[in-house]
Amino acid sequence: MKLTKYISIGLIALLSACTVGKKYSRPDVSMPEHFRNSISTTADSVQLPWKTFFKEPQLVGLIEKALAKNNDISVAVLTIRQLDLNYQQTKLGLYPNLDFTLGANRTWLSRNSLNGSLSEQFLGTAYMDDYSATLRLSWEADIWGKVKNHKESSLAEYFMQKENLSALKTRLIAQVAQAYFNLLTLDEQLAVAQKNIALSDTALNMTRLQYKSGQTSSLAVEQAEAQKKTAELLIPVAKQAISAQENALSILCGEYPTSIERTKNMQEALPTALFSEGVPANLLSRRPDVKASEYAVVSANAKMNLANIALYPSISLSPSIGANSFKMNTWFDLPGSLIKNLGVNLTQPIFNKKALQTAFEVSRIEREKAVLNFKQSLLTAVGEVSTALSRGSAAQERLELIQSKNNSLSKATKDALLLYRNGMASYLEVITTLNNSLQNELEAISVRKEQFDATTELYRSLGGGVE
């Protein structure tokens, strides 16, 4: 008996040193040395706390509110708590299970059966009692590293969700900032429309005076009125868009739709220019979604190892000790009622319709898919940065041209009104000038918004800074 015990312990100790499966190594990915339309920046200047990037007080308050109240963030935090509990559970995998069972059973036996006739003969009753109390221990030897792979998979999923939470927060920060700036853009458009209405009203009054004095026709008056209506039509459209944007921004902040307090100066909300020339591509490893996709590979690799381990034999021990009696008064009469059991089990799958082999092949394919998703996340990240760089550069060029054009149109508008007042320009020239000025100012506002969106998107696509 002792020899068998020592052999079993020695065999378990020897097999416990074995490990099955492929150790994780990072997939080989080729990264470009520079982004297309690249700029150059240091690592410290890319991953910045969002309060360093966005400084306008009203915007800061909205972002803080969104991070605290947004329901998607709350769900992600709860998911992290679940995964943490799962990981803590896997850490207990090496410990045995201990169960205690207490039971009493009474069976009325058939008188025509052998047990029934013997029971009534020896016990004097038509029934048989059975009282038991058992303490059972079960433990499976971690021969092939099953617990280690369970822990690795759970830990990877935990960190993956933490990175997903960071990515969600970064995306939410960018969405709030862009929605806020969109509100400021709509305010600017409304102000331009009101300014143009005032200019159109001035031109209309002059046209009416000239019509009364016989210097122009009724057609000029009608055209001037139409020009004013064109500007007035922008007012309800802008107000409706402002209301819709306020509703959307309120929901992002986890609140019911309401009005949003904001600055009156669009320039104040612009983030500080932090990006100088050529971002090294390896900075994308800081992007939380890229990091999350790599953790998915780690988890898939561990699950593949677990599927492989299932093909190998398992050894388990199941000793138990307890008290058993057919009488209540002798139930715990030790050692007479003592019952002991020692089980050593070796289980080796032989024929299961290839289910385990198929599960292993499926897990291997899942790992390959995770690797491809990781590589795709890098491609997407490089593309997003390159696109944001291109958008920002193009918007800056357009803005400079529009500003130059706006200077000319502002002077042209003043000159046209002065010449028209003195009868040296036609009403068509005035209307054309006013319309061109209106369209140019609206385009300038649109391009400034595009520039802001590109800068915010570049900040997000480079990983942002949640904390």
Side-chain angles (χ1 to χ4, degrees):
M1 178 68 182
K2 287 185 177 180
L3 180 61
T4 304
K5 177 181 178 182
Y6 292 144
I7 291 174
S8 300
I9 295 174
L11 180 62
I12 292 171
L14 178 64
L15 292 177
S16 296
C18 302
T19 301
V20 171
K22 180 179 179 182
K23 186 177 180 181
Y24 172 76
S25 60
R26 190 177 193 186
D28 184 22
V29 291
S30 58
M31 292 286 290
E33 294 183 4
H34 300 286
F35 293 114
R36 187 180 182 184
N37 304 315
S38 65
I39 59 174
S40 150
T41 187
T42 65
D44 292 336
S45 65
V46 173
Q47 196 171 46
L48 291 170
W50 63 266
K51 287 186 179 180
T52 305
F53 194 71
F54 303 106
K55 297 182 178 180
E56 200 279 311
Q58 300 289 355
L59 175 56
V60 168
L62 288 169
I63 293 176
E64 287 178 336
K65 191 181 296 183
L67 291 174
K69 294 185 176 182
N70 184 270
N71 290 321
D72 291 334
I73 298 291
S74 299
V75 170
V77 170
L78 291 175
T79 302
I80 287 178
R81 288 174 56 186
Q82 286 179 307
L83 293 173
D84 181 50
L85 291 173
N86 289 338
Y87 174 65
Q88 298 302 326
Q89 181 62 41
T90 59
K91 290 168 66 176
L92 304 176
L94 289 173
Y95 292 91
N97 293 325
L98 184 63
D99 300 313
F100 176 71
T101 304
L102 183 69
N105 184 51
R106 173 170 290 183
T107 305
W108 281 265
L109 302 171
S110 168
R111 292 183 177 181
N112 295 329
S113 67
L114 178 61
N115 288 336
S117 61
L118 292 174
S119 174
E120 190 166 357
Q121 179 180 349
F122 289 100
L123 299 178
T125 61
Y127 56 82
M128 180 180 290
D129 290 338
D130 184 64
Y131 301 95
S132 63
T134 307
L135 195 64
R136 181 177 290 104
L137 184 74
S138 60
W139 177 73
E140 181 180 348
D142 187 21
I143 303 173
W144 315 114
K146 183 186 295 185
V147 173
K148 175 186 174 183
N149 281 283
H150 270 302
K151 287 169 62 179
E152 186 174 347
S153 175
S154 296
L155 188 60
E157 289 179 355
Y158 171 76
F159 282 119
M160 179 177 67
Q161 184 58 28
K162 287 197 72 174
E163 294 301 332
N164 285 334
L165 175 60
S166 295
L168 180 60
K169 286 182 176 179
T170 301
R171 187 164 59 250
L172 180 64
I173 290 168
Q175 288 175 342
V176 170
Q178 289 172 345
Y180 181 76
F181 201 80
N182 193 37
L183 265 181
L184 301 186
T185 299
L186 293 169
D187 288 343
E188 289 279 323
Q189 290 175 349
L190 184 61
V192 167
Q194 291 170 338
K195 173 186 170 184
N196 199 267
I197 289 172
L199 289 173
S200 298
D201 192 54
T202 300
L204 177 59
N205 290 334
M206 286 192 298
T207 304
R208 285 172 176 166
L209 289 173
Q210 289 183 349
Y211 173 69
K212 290 179 179 179
S213 62
Q215 295 179 18
T216 187
S217 65
S218 60
L219 178 59
V221 177
E222 292 169 357
Q223 289 285 354
E225 288 178 343
Q227 173 62 28
K228 183 181 177 182
K229 293 296 181 184
T230 299
E232 288 176 340
L233 282 172
L234 295 174
I235 302 297
V237 174
K239 287 183 177 180
Q240 188 275 329
I242 287 172
S243 178
Q245 186 62 76
E246 285 182 325
N247 294 345
L249 185 51
S250 297
I251 292 171
L252 276 177
C253 295
E255 295 182 340
Y256 289 107
T258 184
S259 60
I260 302 294
E261 293 185 9
R262 50 193 181 272
T263 181
K264 301 298 182 182
N265 187 351
M266 182 185 289
Q267 200 66 29
E268 290 181 359
L270 288 172
T272 306
L274 299 170
F275 308 108
S276 51
E277 298 286 323
V279 177
N282 59 4
L283 289 177
L284 285 181
S285 61
R286 288 187 167 189
R287 266 183 61 141
D289 58 335
V290 173
K291 292 167 72 175
S293 64
E294 184 172 3
Y295 280 124
V297 179
V298 176
S299 177
N301 186 78
K303 288 178 179 178
M304 180 186 70
N305 291 340
L306 288 170
N308 192 16
I309 289 170
L311 297 168
Y312 289 80
S314 62
I315 294 179
S316 61
L317 297 176
S318 54
S320 64
I321 187 170
N324 181 249
S325 176
F326 63 91
K327 290 183 178 180
M328 172 73 79
N329 58 1
T330 61
W331 188 357
F332 293 100
D333 184 12
L334 303 179
S337 298
L338 189 66
I339 180 173
K340 295 180 287 185
N341 179 64
L342 175 63
V344 180
N345 302 300
L346 173 66
T347 305
Q348 169 62 57
I350 297 177
F351 179 72
N352 53 17
K353 300 179 183 179
K354 292 185 67 176
L356 295 178
Q357 183 64 38
T358 300
F360 171 65
E361 292 298 326
V362 169
S363 66
R364 187 172 59 80
I365 293 172
E366 288 295 331
R367 183 189 183 280
E368 292 177 5
K369 287 165 59 178
V371 170
L372 292 174
N373 287 334
F374 171 54
K375 292 180 177 180
Q376 184 61 39
S377 70
L378 286 171
L379 287 174
T380 301
V382 173
E384 288 179 351
V385 173
S386 299
T387 300
L389 288 169
S390 178
R391 283 182 62 193
S393 176
Q396 181 60 36
E397 291 180 13
R398 288 174 60 197
L399 200 57
E400 290 173 1
L401 292 171
I402 289 172
Q403 188 59 48
S404 177
K405 182 181 176 182
N406 186 63
N407 293 336
S408 299
L409 286 172
S410 295
K411 186 176 183 304
T413 300
K414 293 178 182 178
D415 292 345
L417 289 172
L418 183 60
L419 291 171
Y420 186 58
R421 185 179 292 114
N422 294 308
M424 299 174 66
S426 68
Y427 67 92
L428 288 176
E429 291 175 309
V430 174
I431 290 173
T432 301
T433 303
L434 289 175
N435 188 60
N436 289 340
S437 180
L438 171 63
Q439 295 304 320
N440 191 70
E441 288 192 69
L442 292 175
E443 186 177 3
I445 294 170
S446 178
V447 173
R448 277 199 296 272
K449 179 185 181 303
E450 187 173 335
Q451 186 182 39
F452 176 87
D453 288 346
T455 305
T456 304
E457 181 60 22
L458 179 60
Y459 180 70
R460 184 204 66 79
S461 60
L462 285 170
V466 175
E467 301 302 331

